[in-house]
Amino acid sequence: MHFAFPPRKTSHPPPYALRQTRSPLLRRSRLQLIALVALGCIAGLYMLSKLFGSSSITEAIPAGTSPVVIVTTLDKNKGDAFNEKIKQNRKAYAARHGYATFFPHTSDYPLGDSPHSWSKVPSMRHAMALHPHSTHFLYLSPLALIMNPSLPLDSHILSPSRLENLMIVDQPVVPPDSVIKTFSHLKGDRIDMVLTQDKEGLGSEIFILRRGEWAKYLLDAWFDPLYRSYNFQRAEGHALEHIVQWHGTILAKLALVPQRIMNSYVKDEKGNNPGGVYQEGDFVAHFYGCDKAPRHCEEEMAPYFAKVAS
Amino acid sequence: MSLSRSPSPQRGGGWSSPGLNTPYNTSGRSTPMRVNANTNGGAHISWASAQAKSAEVKGYPSFATRNQGFFSRHMRRISASLPRFDGGRNARYAEKEKLQRGRWGGGAGRWSGIMGRIGRMMWRMRLRFAVLFGFFFLVVAFYVTPLHRIYRRASFLGGGSKFVIIQAANLGGGVMEWKGPREWAIERDSLKNKRKYAKKWGYELEIVDMSTKKRYAHEWRESWEKVDTIRNAMRKYPDAEWFWWLDLNTFIMEPSYSLQSHIFNNLAKTTYRDINAYNPLNITHPLTSPYLDAETRSPIGDGLASSINIIVPQDCSGFNLGSFFVRRSAWTDRLLDIWWDPVFYEQKHMEWEHKEQDALEHLYASQAWVRPHVAFIEQRMINSFPPGACGEKGEDPRIHYKEQDRDFVVNMAGCEWGRDCWGEMYNYRQLSNKLNRNRWERVKDWVSESVKAAKEKRKENEEKKGEEKQDERKGS
């Protein structure tokens, strides 16, 4: 409303100026400043915590850490000369790509009465304890030779996109007709174990593990004394098939790749595995079963050693 | 106007000079203020009397332009002791005095004065009163009404929805046997107790039917459903973090303890990682195999509360899964997955009397990845035993329930073998009620007890007298 005249002053002016009932402790402008500073502080702390938080999650990897460790368990009974040749084969490959190697003896681990082949399980755990910052661990059977040292593991198998291409999905874990099949929707970067399959089952002689809590879980569960005492026909091989088929948390981290990617058999004794036979240029030649008479490993390997050396 | 004498004040106010007074005032009174009382029927109307009269009618001066607001007006009327108001009233109701209506009027003047003063004070302190009232309102809203459940549930306030209580029920029911009235009563009491507790703190309560079913093709895995049940609960409550398994024969003695304040706010202190602190199974700890990494070989894992994924109490013979916690995590998924395995089962099912419990002990002892994530908790924190379990007398300070320590939960473990489950449940329920009475109930009980005691004393005295009399008779 508008009045013609300004309102009349009161005829009883207060004898003294009225005090404001609540005198503000801080002036408005000051308050604004404080609010701004506080906001800035909170934002700064948040960013700092983010920085340090992330740094604590992705641990600092010391310089010079080899990304891959190659593990082979050696049997002292095979003789030093033979073992030395095997070692040289791995070392040459590792030197070429900056990988590390680890050669424990099968007798280094407390296996009790169970077969020596079980030693591959604790040896992988051991390698992980010794190389706490390496990301991948390749277990290579002492009966296998690296035939194509020019192939780096990363681009040959391990990079997620390559792995997604290689992965055999929806494949019965134990051929030919296991009801348990590999998952069909796995992402390459979620894979913690890479291995191959021959016509009889999973190839537990050559496999790749990624370091992490899952790898510890797999190795420790695999090495359970109740599995070792169970007398699986093929010892740790069947134990692995067992846990993969019965425990979804293991199957979910597993990728099957074609056999010739890293597990080509030199001889197809029963003649039922033609897809897995070694051809020129394959990464690995596996003399699977050569330690059983009448086969003879050193004789079979001799020409291959010559081939690699050339 | 000539004055016969100089104007001078008279006693009682007014002026003695007639010239300053109304000349026609016949009453002889000289105070102009009192004129109104006499002018009612008076023929001579002065300005003052007219003004007073109009004030009487309107109740307030018609020329007032300030203080128009209702409250200030009202306040003035209440706060001044108002002789005018009073007088008017008396005058108007003077004839009805016989009906004794006016009587309260005089009293009301003083009363309203007091009320007025209180009112004024309240008005001055209105902000403080508003705060007080707000506080009172919040207390009512959060503690008296179910609103507090919502607030205790919320993940950012109480965090109650992070906890799920998994309560086993209907144990051994189904195909094996009929439940008797006692079993029904046990179940009713136990479930009621858990329901109340879960409601109070805003936890989820998942009651699972553990009746024996022929769910599996063979006897394998029969009554091993604990693991499946926990996994189902994890699927059902995707936001929850901790899952608390409780057997049927348990009773929460102190519902006033929240899980957060009792255990989880201070997880590193309320639990222990090194089993050597109490090791009835004599498990070798820590692991010493040189092929393991440092964290696995450490007696306490990484020592952080965040790495604890399962919390287990130990009784006199090892792990006890009557009351334990698991946390949702990848590690827990793996444990729940490997917990039951056909190869373990085939070799050990005759030996493992306690099924999952023995299997967990086996996993802890022989699979190294398990240890860094297991924490133990003092048995009496979540799983006190009554006498009869683990020793007849019930005097082990690690294991047995003590009333004066106000233990959280009682687990009547093994009561189905030769003990009275229902009796124990009843006694503990009564004890819990007694311990958790509020003050008023305490007073009531004290009165009724003292009355009872007095009665008994009297009875005793009478009996004594009677006996004495009889003795006297015999004597005579």
Side-chain angles (χ1 to χ4, degrees):
Chain A
M1 270 208 275
H2 298 280
F3 296 103
F5 299 103
R8 239 168 66 180
K9 274 187 190 171
T10 169
S11 35
H12 303 287
Y16 44 84
L18 277 173
R19 193 172 63 91
Q20 255 191 315
T21 45
R22 206 160 296 273
S23 74
L25 275 173
L26 298 159
R27 279 175 207 293
R28 190 170 215 168
S29 55
R30 186 64 63 81
L31 261 179
Q32 278 173 346
L33 184 73
I34 289 176
L36 273 176
V37 168
L39 210 71
C41 280
I42 291 170
L45 279 176
Y46 177 74
M47 279 148 105
L48 277 180
S49 72
K50 275 270 163 178
L51 269 178
F52 284 103
S54 63
S55 71
S56 71
I57 288 168
T58 58
E59 51 197 298
I61 295 174
T65 303
S66 32
V68 174
V69 180
I70 300 167
V71 183
T72 300
T73 48
L74 298 174
D75 188 348
K76 277 180 181 161
N77 300 331
K78 287 267 163 64
D80 282 346
F82 176 77
N83 284 346
E84 199 53 41
K85 274 187 190 168
I86 298 286
K87 274 189 195 177
Q88 275 314 317
N89 177 260
R90 273 80 170 146
K91 275 182 182 165
Y93 174 66
R96 190 157 174 175
H97 297 286
Y99 299 158
T101 53
F102 179 55
F103 302 108
H105 289 289
T106 49
S107 53
D108 287 355
Y109 304 104
L111 294 174
D113 298 332
S114 29
H116 278 315
S117 57
W118 274 100
S119 63
K120 70 177 65 130
V121 185
S123 77
M124 285 295 267
R125 195 83 156 83
H126 197 182
M128 287 180 187
L130 293 176
H131 300 269
H133 299 295
S134 303
T135 50
H136 285 95
F137 296 79
L138 166 67
Y139 179 80
L140 208 54
S141 156
L143 306 182
L145 290 179
I146 296 172
M147 294 305 293
N148 191 350
S150 63
L151 289 175
L153 269 190
D154 189 52
S155 66
H156 182 53
I157 302 171
L158 292 176
S159 70
S161 53
R162 168 80 173 155
L163 202 48
E164 271 168 44
N165 287 336
L166 290 178
M167 234 186 273
I168 308 173
V169 297
D170 217 17
Q171 165 85 1
V173 171
V174 179
D177 53 0
S178 165
V179 288
I180 307 295
K181 297 178 179 176
T182 53
F183 288 120
S184 52
H185 49 268
L186 291 179
K187 290 265 180 298
D189 55 352
R190 301 272 178 83
I191 295 299
D192 279 329
M193 185 184 201
V194 181
L195 75 175
T196 61
Q197 194 186 36
D198 59 20
K199 280 286 172 262
E200 286 169 359
L202 294 177
S204 60
E205 299 293 319
I206 298 173
F207 57 91
I208 301 173
L209 274 180
R210 181 164 73 172
R211 175 177 57 90
E213 287 292 313
W214 186 87
K216 291 183 191 173
Y217 160 57
L218 171 86
L219 293 173
D220 292 340
W222 191 0
F223 199 57
D224 192 288
L226 288 181
Y227 292 140
R228 279 183 279 151
S229 62
Y230 190 62
N231 291 325
F232 283 111
Q233 191 194 345
R234 280 206 301 170
E236 82 290 344
H238 277 165
L240 180 66
E241 277 169 14
H242 169 81
I243 56 174
V244 166
Q245 290 185 87
W246 278 94
H247 302 296
T249 48
I250 288 177
L251 184 61
K253 296 287 187 176
L254 201 83
L256 284 182
V257 295
Q259 193 181 346
R260 277 183 47 220
I261 289 292
M262 59 177 196
N263 192 14
S264 315
Y265 286 175
V266 171
K267 252 189 196 169
D268 184 15
E269 283 179 287
K270 289 171 189 161
N272 57 3
N273 194 16
V277 176
Y278 176 78
Q279 292 171 22
E280 205 64 34
D282 280 358
F283 179 44
V284 166
H286 190 186
F287 302 81
Y288 181 70
C290 72
D291 50 348
K292 290 181 187 100
R295 290 173 68 176
H296 196 270
C297 285
E298 281 179 74
E299 278 174 19
E300 283 185 29
M301 281 183 180
Y304 288 85
F305 274 126
K307 227 185 264 177
V308 181
S310 62
Chain B
M1 196 197 295
S2 63
L3 299 174
S4 57
R5 52 193 169 103
S6 64
S8 59
Q10 257 189 355
R11 178 184 292 221
W15 301 90
S16 64
S17 165
L20 295 172
N21 236 325
T22 15
Y24 308 108
N25 194 341
T26 51
S27 69
R29 296 267 184 96
S30 49
T31 323
M33 285 304 288
R34 301 297 298 264
V35 158
N36 63 347
N38 305 315
T39 48
N40 255 346
H44 315 289
I45 301 170
S46 67
W47 169 245
S49 63
Q51 192 186 359
K53 207 171 179 187
S54 91
E56 202 177 294
V57 173
K58 288 185 181 168
Y60 58 91
S62 58
F63 52 83
T65 50
R66 295 161 64 213
N67 296 331
Q68 289 280 25
F70 168 77
F71 210 90
S72 53
R73 217 164 60 219
H74 190 64
M75 193 63 74
R76 275 181 64 192
R77 206 194 299 178
I78 299 170
S79 54
S81 40
L82 298 180
R84 181 170 50 89
F85 177 78
D86 239 12
R89 232 195 154 82
N90 277 342
R92 222 186 279 166
Y93 289 104
E95 284 169 39
K96 294 177 180 173
E97 178 69 18
K98 282 172 198 163
L99 298 173
Q100 306 198 331
R101 265 205 203 163
R103 196 162 283 176
W104 62 270
R110 208 177 301 149
W111 190 237
S112 69
I114 294 168
M115 289 301 286
R117 244 161 257 152
I118 293 173
R120 239 183 321 170
M121 212 167 67
M122 277 175 71
W123 180 244
R124 267 190 221 136
M125 296 166 69
R126 59 188 182 270
L127 266 178
R128 266 162 271 187
F129 273 107
V131 170
L132 200 71
F133 178 77
F135 180 71
F136 184 68
F137 171 78
L138 289 177
V139 167
V140 169
F142 284 120
Y143 290 93
V144 181
T145 64
L147 198 61
H148 74 268
R149 279 173 213 145
I150 296 171
Y151 125 83
R152 280 175 176 167
R153 276 185 60 75
S155 56
F156 53 94
L157 292 171
S161 58
K162 293 259 167 250
F163 297 88
V164 175
I165 301 173
I166 305 175
Q167 169 70 62
N170 208 9
L171 218 62
V175 293
M176 302 299 272
E177 59 183 5
W178 289 101
K179 268 204 279 196
R182 277 171 170 254
E183 282 76 35
W184 283 111
I186 290 168
E187 194 163 311
R188 184 198 62 209
D189 272 18
S190 175
L191 295 189
K192 198 174 158 196
N193 173 250
K194 312 296 162 31
R195 270 201 195 104
K196 215 171 141 194
Y197 182 73
K199 217 174 184 185
K200 181 181 168 91
W201 291 105
Y203 304 142
E204 305 280 5
L205 177 65
E206 174 72 5
I207 298 170
V208 292
D209 181 7
M210 298 290 282
S211 57
T212 318
K213 293 188 202 89
K214 293 291 178 198
R215 191 186 304 163
Y216 304 103
H218 25 68
E219 93 278 21
W220 279 19
R221 215 164 183 179
E222 204 61 83
S223 72
W224 273 72
E225 295 104 323
K226 208 176 256 188
V227 175
D228 293 353
T229 313
I230 295 172
R231 294 174 105 181
N232 287 341
M234 285 189 169
R235 215 169 300 140
K236 185 166 171 187
Y237 301 98
D239 296 328
E241 186 183 3
W242 282 99
F243 295 80
W244 183 18
W245 176 276
L246 274 175
D247 273 356
L248 183 63
N249 292 324
T250 54
F251 200 85
I252 296 172
M253 297 295 285
E254 301 292 335
S256 60
Y257 296 2
S258 75
L259 291 179
Q260 292 96 317
S261 68
H262 189 54
I263 299 168
F264 290 98
N265 288 347
N266 205 355
L267 197 55
K269 290 227 174 96
T270 48
T271 58
Y272 59 97
R273 307 287 279 273
D274 187 352
I275 197 176
N276 290 318
Y278 178 63
N279 194 354
L281 290 172
N282 275 323
I283 293 172
T284 315
H285 188 80
L287 292 166
T288 50
S289 311
Y291 62 84
L292 296 170
D293 55 310
E295 191 194 314
T296 312
R297 275 185 289 156
S298 146
I300 55 166
D302 64 0
L304 299 173
S306 57
S307 68
I308 296 174
N309 284 322
I310 183 168
I311 303 176
V312 183
Q314 291 191 94
D315 64 18
C316 54
S317 59
F319 296 10
N320 188 293
L321 295 187
S323 162
F324 70 101
F325 293 93
V326 287
R327 172 192 232 152
R328 178 196 301 283
S329 68
W331 182 92
T332 308
D333 281 346
R334 290 167 200 154
L335 182 79
L336 295 178
D337 192 12
I338 201 89
W339 204 324
W340 188 83
D341 182 281
V343 169
F344 298 171
Y345 188 87
E346 195 186 329
Q347 293 179 79
K348 290 287 185 181
H349 71 280
M350 298 301 283
E351 220 173 290
W352 286 352
E353 239 174 76
H354 298 289
K355 300 164 174 131
E356 298 96 340
Q357 202 166 292
D358 291 311
L360 183 65
E361 286 168 3
H362 166 77
L363 291 177
Y364 182 85
S366 57
Q367 296 195 9
W369 67 282
V370 175
R371 291 197 192 198
H373 298 274
V374 177
F376 299 98
I377 189 164
E378 294 288 343
Q379 163 124 17
R380 281 179 54 204
M381 290 283 285
I382 58 168
N383 197 23
S384 305
F385 274 7
C390 274
E392 281 307 309
K393 285 183 183 166
E395 60 208 354
D396 190 331
R398 279 179 181 281
I399 289 168
H400 290 110
Y401 178 80
K402 265 210 193 81
E403 189 182 321
Q404 60 267 33
D405 293 343
R406 307 294 289 267
D407 288 357
F408 183 35
V409 172
V410 164
N411 178 4
M412 285 138 265
C415 66
E416 58 269 43
W417 288 293
R419 283 171 27 221
D420 177 10
C421 282
W422 164 237
E424 285 182 13
M425 177 74 79
Y426 178 82
N427 287 336
Y428 279 109
R429 194 188 69 201
Q430 294 298 90
L431 181 60
S432 170
N433 287 343
K434 195 182 141 204
L435 291 173
N436 289 296
R437 287 173 302 180
N438 61 27
R439 264 186 209 156
W440 170 238
E441 285 166 340
R442 267 166 214 268
V443 170
K444 274 199 301 194
D445 286 357
W446 175 76
V447 169
S448 67
E449 270 165 28
S450 49
V451 166
K452 212 186 269 172
K455 265 186 192 168
E456 273 174 19
K457 218 173 206 181
R458 205 186 297 154
K459 220 183 232 174
E460 269 177 30
N461 284 345
E462 277 170 10
E463 276 172 14
K464 249 183 208 169
K465 272 180 194 170
E467 280 170 15
E468 277 168 17
K469 271 181 190 171
Q470 279 183 348
D471 289 345
E472 276 172 26
R473 270 181 211 157
K474 276 179 193 168
S476 68

